[in-house]
């Protein structure tokens, strides 16, 4: 198996956390990439027309994207239960969508700050995206996440880790103590330690 990889991508991290948890990480070759929202990587686009990471190759050469699809493939391959069944499946998928929404908004705010030329930056746009991030963490604060290991909680953890990595000035912990405590424990998992940005 192979994956177009970026150590800073929270979506790649989500895939690799699931792979580590299932004991599959050592079977996945990391392919270097230079994916970006403006200058897209031609080597990725040959396989994924969107040109984004993660883009994944199964052992038979099937190409999979995006992160949720890849995670579901790995879960099936590894006999996991990250997606669950019945009511738990819909909860897990909905939570994963909330986490992906947080990540999408955070990425857009990041791109606005570092890629858009300064005279063209729109503060209301950035504020709107970061408001989505805050609303997502507000919702997490109301949830009982203790003891859960599923695609929802993995996505939440990768989202909060991305905030720490790219928005260290965001003081989300002081206003979300339950989420902070949960994340502090979840971040100690070996899968999270092995996938920290830059590792």
């Amino acid at each position: 198996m192979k994956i177009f990889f970026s150590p800073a991508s929270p979506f790649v991290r989500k895939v690799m956390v699931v792979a580590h948890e299932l004991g599959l990480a050592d079977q996945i070759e990391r392919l270097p990439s230079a994916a970006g929202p403006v200058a897209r990587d031609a080597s990725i686009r040959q396989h994924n027309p969107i040109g984004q990471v993660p883009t994944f190759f199964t052992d038979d050469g099937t190409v999979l994207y995006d992160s949720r699809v890849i995670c579901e493939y790995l879960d099936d391959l590894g006999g996991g239960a990250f997606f669950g069944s019945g009511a738990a499946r819909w909860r897990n998928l909905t939570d994963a969508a909330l986490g992906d929404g947080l990540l999408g908004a955070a990425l857009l705010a990041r791109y606005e700050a570092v890629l858009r030329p300064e005279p063209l930056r729109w503060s209301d746009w950035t504020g709107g995206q970061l408001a989505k991030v805050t609303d997502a963490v507000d919702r997490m604060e109301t949830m009982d996440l203790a003891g859960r290991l599923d695609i929802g909680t993995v996505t939440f953890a990768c989202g909060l880790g991305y905030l720490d990595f790219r928005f260290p000035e965001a003081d989300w912990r002081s206003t979300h103590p339950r989420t902070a405590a949960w994340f502090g424990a979840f971040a100690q998992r070996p899968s999270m330690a092995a996938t920290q940005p830059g590792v």
Side-chain angles (χ1 to χ4, degrees), residues 37-155:
V38 179
R40 297 183 300 142
D41 188 327
S43 61
I44 300 174
R45 288 174 53 218
Q46 293 175 18
H47 307 283
N48 174 354
I50 306 302
Q52 293 179 335
V53 293
T55 296
F56 186 90
F57 302 85
T58 68
D59 282 338
D60 68 6
T62 301
V63 181
L64 302 177
Y65 43 84
D66 62 2
S67 62
R68 196 192 81 181
V69 174
I70 300 166
C71 287
E72 191 153 8
Y73 172 80
L74 293 173
D75 192 54
D76 183 66
L77 182 67
F82 279 88
F83 289 81
S85 60
R89 176 176 174 80
W90 303 120
R91 178 204 66 188
N92 296 343
L93 287 172
T94 300
D95 288 353
L98 177 63
D100 283 342
L102 180 157
L103 283 171
L107 281 167
L108 289 174
R110 168 78 178 165
Y111 293 155
E112 185 75 10
V114 300
L115 293 180
R116 189 179 298 278
E118 188 170 359
L120 301 178
R121 292 177 192 163
W122 186 15
S123 61
D124 287 350
W125 170 267
T126 301
Q129 300 310 313
L130 294 178
K132 293 177 189 179
V133 170
T134 298
D135 287 349
V137 183
D138 286 349
R139 179 59 59 89
M140 290 178 205
E141 185 71 4
T142 70
M143 297 178 178
D144 181 7
L145 302 175
R148 284 179 51 187
L149 177 63
D150 53 62
I151 196 60
T153 54
V154 167
T155 309

Side-chain angles (χ1 to χ4, degrees), residues 110 130 159-173:
R110 168 78 178 165
L130 294 178
L160 296 170
Y162 186 75
L163 294 182
D164 286 350
F165 178 53
R166 291 298 194 199
F167 299 89
E169 72 282 359
D171 184 21
W172 62 267
R173 285 175 175 80

